[in-house]
């Protein structure tokens, strides 16, 4: 049985004076113990909302969450506030995008790490502080004894993210959700943080849901990848399958727009044309249709259904033929 | 391993020394601000004088020792003379002693009114900002009503409700006026904290609601409130003077207070302006001291100025 089973997860935001907005629209995926699953898509496609819904962190009012989120056999969406609070940080951990604003500015790092240990493992402050030191050491923060007493603004961006990872993993949750953990960091630091996360989840056997808009991050880390577009999973495949043979035009476009070291010189990147503001509603057809190079008339009138194609899930009327180069020549 | 004890001790030692909190870095900046130093200097002198005033005052501020001069000269006010460098007041009491001891009462009124207003505001603002919902609506409606009235008018009305005016009624009247100011300020920053990333992060760790409110939201919301306190200290002292001026001050003038002294000399202001000028100037200087301190504190605590 999967560690996390997300079924038909839908989040609708009620908005005053406007139509309700479906930020997440029937998303389903599984995470096996120890597995790393990617959730990829452009900004605004519902990645963060999905993660917040799984963690039960969406506001009670204004957000309607339906579907099912089963963690280790327990339906999380039916838990009481208190039961969910007991699980957060203990069974499920989360790492956020901006490490500076995600740390409390007026509390020393050590106290922030030990807070969660005291909360879930019933440690005294002293025990927790000593464990916190080991944790900071483990995530590669040099001189952890000194760092324990420092405040977030005294640490560099990379160190802060390491500290946040230490906090999220302090209670050894079986599942870690990382929402764009490297987006706010310098490129060189990004690689270090990703390497650290990879090492940690392997060491601890933690399952990881890696949320990112960057297929480069997915390439180095994920076993399975879900590509999200406008709140729906449009393609789901094992990582090597997806990179070798992207079938959905959106995935194909994403791959074409990342720089590749092995690409022939002079080859141009082809960004996906248009923006999410061109989308049509899913109820009307394919949300991607106005931007899609493969679009048929059908795409504007009928919602593509999710189809299973040899272990790959695909939501498209006219998928890319395998073998079409991801990078096309663009006339100058 | 023999790590246990030594490691923990080390951590405890370090907890005192290494970290530089935001307050500490704000202080580092304040120390170099001349405006802050002027404000803090004025405030320090005022506080020290008011604490030491019972011993510094050459005479009993309630003793009409120069009353014979007043009577002889047909209600004349005793002029400065040896032993009484500022002369006497309407009742022949030593004016310098009254000014000195008055500083203490002024400080008590200012601090008392500010503390009570702050406490009330903290409670209401925390309730409104942390709980939200109908509690928030009720508290904020109340606050809006109070803020829609001119502050002084509200203070007068409250002071007038007491059967006998006293120092206590003055403090209460002024502090109640300050409650909505503090409450609204705190609610605003609590709401901002509620939507902040670090509170979301703490929630994602399963931190309990009480700890979220009191450890994560409240301490991060206090900056503006601390600044406001120094500004309210200034207004409280001025409002106490205004209440006395309108006859709603403490009638017991054996223990003087600057606002009350200012109010008492209305009738002789034309002929003996110095009786009003001394307390008025002192009130203005002290209010200025608190205000300078508050404004520089506001800048220093502003996250935008954080390095
Ligand atoms: N609390 C909210 N209320 C209303 N709309 C929201 C809320 N949070 C997110 N949204 C909307 O949901 C969509 C998906 O947001 P999000 O999940 O944050 O995107 P991303 O994939 O970049 O993480 C966006 O269009 C955003 O405007
Ligand atoms: S369904 Fe049509 S519009 Fe949508 S991605 Fe496939 S081909 Fe393009
Ligand atoms: Mg996001």
């Amino acid at each position: 049985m999967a560690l996390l089973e997300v079924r038909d997860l839908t989040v609708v935001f009620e908005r005053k004076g406007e139509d309700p907005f479906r930020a997440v629209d029937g998303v389903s995926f599984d995470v096996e113990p120890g597995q790393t699953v990617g959730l990829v898509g452009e900004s605004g496609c519902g990645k963060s909302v999905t993660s917040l819904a799984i963690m039960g962190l969406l506001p009670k009012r204004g957000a309607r969450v339906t579907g099912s989120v089963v963690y280790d056999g327990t339906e999380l969406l039916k838990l009481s506030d208190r039961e969910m609070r007991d699980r957060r940080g203990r069974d499920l951990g989360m790492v956020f995008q901006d490490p500076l604003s995600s740390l409390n500015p007026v509390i020393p790092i050590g106290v922030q790490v030990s807070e969660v240990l005291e909360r879930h493992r019933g440690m005294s402050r002293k025990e927790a502080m000593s464990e916190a030191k080991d944790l900071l050491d483990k995530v590669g923060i040099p001189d952890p004894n000194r760092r324990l007493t420092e405040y977030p603004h005294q640490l560099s961006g990379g160190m802060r993210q390491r500290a946040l990872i230490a906090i999220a993993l302090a209670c050894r949750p079986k599942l870690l959700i990382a929402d764009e953990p490297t987006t706010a960091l310098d490129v060189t630091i990004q690689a270090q943080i990703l390497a650290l996360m990879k090492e940690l989840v392997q060491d601890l056997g933690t399952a990881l849901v890696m949320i990112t808009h960057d297929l480069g991050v997915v390439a180095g880390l994920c076993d399975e990848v879900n590509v999200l577009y406008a709140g729906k999973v449009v393609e789901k495949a094992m990582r090597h399958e997806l990179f070798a043979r992207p079938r959905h035009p959106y995935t194909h476009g994403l791959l074409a727009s990342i720089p590749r070291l092995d690409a022939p010189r002079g080859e141009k990147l082809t960004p996906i044309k248009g923006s999410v503001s061109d989308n049509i509603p899913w109820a009307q057809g394919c949300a991607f249709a106005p931007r899609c190079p493969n679009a048929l008339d059908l795409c504007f009138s009928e919602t593509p259904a999710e189809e299973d194609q040899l272990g790959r899930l695909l939501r498209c009327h006219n998928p890319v033929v395998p073998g079409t180069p991801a990078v096309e020549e663009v006339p100058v | 391993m023999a790590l246990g004890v030594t490691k923990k001790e080390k951590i405890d030692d370090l907890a005192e020394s290494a970290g530089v909190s935001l307050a500490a870095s704000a202080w580092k900046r304040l120390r170099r601000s001349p405006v802050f130093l002027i404000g803090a200097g004025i405030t320090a002198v005022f506080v020290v004088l008011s604490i030491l005033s019972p011993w510094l005052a050459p005479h009993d501020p309630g003793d009409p020792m120069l009353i014979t001069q007043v009577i002889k000269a047909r209600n004349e006010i005793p002029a400065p003379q040896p032993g009484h460098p500022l002369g006497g007041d309407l009742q022949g009491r030593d004016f310098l002693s009254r000014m000195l001891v008055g500083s203490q009462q002024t400080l008590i009124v200012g601090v008392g009114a500010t503390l009570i207003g702050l406490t009330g505001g903290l409670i209401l603002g925390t309730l409104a900002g942390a709980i939200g919902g109908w509690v928030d609506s009720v508290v904020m409606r109340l606050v809006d009503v109070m803020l829609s009235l001119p502050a002084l008018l509200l203070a007068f009305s409250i002071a007038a409700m007491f059967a006998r005016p006293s120092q206590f009624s003055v403090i209460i009247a002024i502090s109640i006026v300050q409650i909505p100011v503090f409450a609204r300020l705190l609610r605003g920053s609590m709401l901002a904290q509620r939507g902040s990333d670090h509170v979301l992060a703490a929630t994602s760790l399963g931190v309990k609601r009480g700890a979220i409110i009191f450890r994560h939201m409240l301490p991060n919301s206090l900056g503006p409130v601390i600044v406001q306190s120094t500004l309210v200290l200034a207004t409280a002292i001025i409002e106490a003077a205004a209440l006395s001026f309108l006859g709603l001050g403490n009638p017991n003038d054996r223990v003087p207070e600057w606002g009350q002294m200012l109010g008492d000399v209305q009738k002789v202001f034309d002929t003996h302006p110095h009786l009003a000028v001394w307390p008025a100037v002192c009130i203005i200087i002290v209010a200025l001291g608190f205000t300078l301190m508050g404004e520089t504190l506001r800048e220093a605590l502003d996250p935008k100025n954080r390095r």
Side-chain angles (χ1 to χ4, degrees):
Chain A
M1 192 185 54
L3 178 66
L4 182 77
E5 288 175 12
V6 178
R7 286 290 167 278
D8 216 14
L9 183 67
T10 302
V11 179
V12 180
F13 289 109
E14 319 276 1
R15 298 177 300 186
K16 270 191 203 122
E18 279 179 83
D19 290 338
F21 176 70
R22 283 177 172 270
V24 179
D25 198 353
V27 166
S28 303
F29 62 92
D30 285 356
V31 184
E32 302 293 333
Q35 193 189 25
T36 295
V37 170
L39 230 52
V40 190
E42 287 169 297
S43 158
C45 71
K47 305 183 297 291
S48 297
V49 173
T50 304
S51 64
L52 294 177
I54 295 170
M55 295 289 292
L57 290 172
L58 286 169
K60 289 274 163 306
R61 278 187 293 180
R64 212 169 57 234
V65 182
T66 52
S68 140
V69 177
V70 176
Y71 172 88
D72 217 1
T74 312
E75 172 57 76
L76 295 186
L77 296 186
K78 292 209 175 73
L79 291 184
S80 69
D81 283 359
R82 171 188 293 250
E83 289 167 323
M84 196 61 210
R85 242 197 319 270
D86 286 342
R87 288 181 173 264
R88 273 187 224 124
R90 194 189 67 194
D91 295 342
L92 311 94
M94 186 153 176
V95 177
F96 295 88
Q97 176 171 342
D98 183 349
L100 178 57
S101 66
S102 299
L103 287 162
N104 187 333
V106 303
I107 300 184
I109 300 292
V111 178
Q112 301 196 46
V113 184
S114 57
E115 179 175 34
V116 59
L117 292 166
E118 291 167 42
R119 163 73 173 92
H120 291 299
R121 305 217 339 226
M123 290 186 176
S124 70
R125 171 59 57 90
K126 279 201 156 183
E127 291 166 341
M129 272 299 205
S130 139
E131 172 90 20
K133 193 211 131 220
D134 294 345
L135 279 163
L136 293 192
D137 201 28
K138 199 176 179 79
V139 298
I141 294 183
D143 200 358
N145 261 331
R146 187 162 64 93
R147 295 304 181 185
L148 282 180
T149 63
E150 291 191 340
Y151 291 80
H153 69 276
Q154 293 176 281
L155 270 59
S156 68
M159 288 300 149
R160 287 180 200 130
Q161 194 58 294
R162 285 171 193 268
L164 271 183
I165 292 171
I167 294 171
L169 290 177
C171 295
R172 306 279 155 85
K174 287 195 218 127
L175 178 72
L176 180 68
I177 302 179
D179 187 357
E180 312 232 17
T182 57
T183 305
L185 304 174
D186 294 344
V187 183
T188 47
I189 311 291
Q190 286 185 5
Q192 293 172 13
I193 294 292
L194 288 176
L196 171 72
M197 294 191 74
K198 190 170 180 172
E199 185 191 316
L200 285 174
V201 295
Q202 267 165 14
D203 276 8
L204 302 171
T206 314
L208 174 64
V209 175
M210 175 55 88
I211 294 179
T212 178
H213 65 269
D214 183 353
L215 276 173
V217 170
V218 172
L221 212 58
C222 299
D223 304 312
E224 196 184 46
V225 186
N226 294 273
V227 181
L228 233 63
Y229 192 81
K232 277 191 191 298
V233 176
V234 291
E235 184 164 19
K236 178 204 301 278
M238 298 312 281
R239 184 231 316 170
H240 50 91
E241 271 293 305
L242 190 87
F243 279 86
R245 281 176 291 278
R247 298 293 315 279
H248 195 279
Y250 177 63
T251 317
H252 194 263
L254 279 181
L255 281 171
S257 61
I258 52 172
R260 283 167 37 162
L261 288 176
D262 59 350
R265 273 181 78 94
E267 204 169 48
K268 294 286 186 299
L269 295 176
T270 38
I272 300 169
K273 68 173 181 183
S275 73
V276 283
S277 59
D278 301 328
N279 288 356
I280 62 172
W282 279 112
Q284 204 176 306
C286 173
F288 187 54
R291 305 171 66 189
C292 180
N294 287 21
L296 312 169
D297 285 348
L298 180 66
C299 303
F300 289 88
S301 57
E302 194 179 312
T303 313
E306 199 176 68
E307 285 167 37
D308 194 332
Q309 302 202 343
L310 305 170
R312 172 200 299 252
L313 287 182
L314 198 54
R315 186 188 291 279
C316 181
H317 291 308
N318 185 19
V320 178
V321 180
T324 308
V327 181
E328 293 163 24
E329 285 291 345
V330 175
V332 183
Chain B
M1 265 204 310
L3 272 175
V5 180
T6 47
K7 189 159 62 183
K8 282 173 200 159
E9 276 170 359
K10 229 183 196 166
I11 294 164
D12 284 353
D13 282 352
L14 282 163
E16 325 268 74
S17 60
V20 179
S21 69
L22 290 177
S25 66
W27 168 238
K28 243 166 80 186
R29 243 171 296 143
L30 283 175
R31 247 182 1 201
R32 273 180 267 121
S33 151
V35 179
F36 174 80
L37 291 179
I38 293 172
I42 294 174
T43 307
V45 168
F46 170 61
V47 171
V48 168
L49 271 186
S50 60
I51 291 171
L52 297 180
S53 60
W55 295 280
L56 290 177
H59 304 287
D60 176 356
D63 182 8
M65 53 195 354
L66 303 172
I67 193 69
T68 48
Q69 292 181 27
V70 177
I71 295 168
K72 248 190 228 142
R74 275 194 232 104
N75 287 338
E76 189 46 271
I77 284 150
Q81 51 196 278
H84 306 280
L86 296 183
D89 73 351
L90 294 165
Q91 272 89 48
R93 295 171 295 200
D94 179 52
F95 198 65
L96 175 64
S97 302
R98 291 182 67 73
M99 280 304 298
L100 280 168
V101 175
S103 68
Q104 190 170 55
Q105 297 306 308
T106 306
L107 183 69
I108 290 174
V109 170
V111 170
T114 305
L115 282 184
I116 297 174
L118 179 66
T119 310
L122 278 180
I123 294 171
L124 288 183
T126 307
L127 279 177
I131 298 177
W134 66 267
V135 179
D136 187 25
S137 309
V138 171
V139 170
M140 280 305 109
R141 200 61 48 82
L142 194 72
V143 163
D144 285 342
V145 168
M146 288 175 78
L147 284 175
S148 67
L149 301 168
L152 269 179
L153 195 62
L154 186 59
F156 297 153
S157 321
I158 297 166
M161 289 195 303
F162 285 82
R164 249 179 304 137
S166 62
Q167 191 182 54
F168 178 70
S169 69
V170 171
I171 291 179
I172 291 298
I174 298 170
S175 60
I176 290 181
V177 175
Q178 303 305 337
I179 288 177
V181 180
F182 283 119
R184 192 161 73 168
L185 201 61
L186 188 68
R187 171 191 179 259
S189 24
M190 288 289 274
L191 282 186
Q193 286 297 316
R194 200 157 69 160
S196 74
D197 287 352
H198 74 88
V199 166
L200 181 67
T203 314
S204 82
L205 294 168
V207 177
K208 290 187 175 154
R209 271 186 86 179
I212 294 272
I213 294 172
F214 292 107
R215 201 179 308 159
H216 292 274
M217 288 166 66
L218 197 56
N220 279 292
S221 310
L222 286 180
V225 175
I226 292 168
V227 171
Q228 185 66 25
S229 301
T230 59
L231 301 178
V232 161
L233 267 165
T235 11
I237 291 171
I238 292 170
E239 278 170 8
L243 283 183
S244 296
F245 204 77
L246 292 168
L248 290 166
N250 182 5
N252 172 13
D253 64 358
R254 282 190 57 85
V255 188
E257 188 266 325
W258 289 345
Q260 172 202 51
M261 291 168 70
L262 190 57
D264 285 351
V265 296
Q266 288 173 68
K267 287 156 291 187
V268 296
F269 181 69
D270 305 343
T271 47
H272 298 85
H274 76 277
L275 290 183
V277 167
W278 279 107
V281 167
C282 286
I283 287 173
I284 291 169
I285 290 177
V286 167
L288 182 74
F290 282 125
T291 309
L292 292 180
M293 222 166 64
E295 291 294 346
T296 41
L297 207 56
R298 187 205 302 282
E299 275 167 36
L301 290 176
D302 189 334
K304 283 195 286 286
N305 297 335
R306 204 176 283 166
R307 62 183 169 86

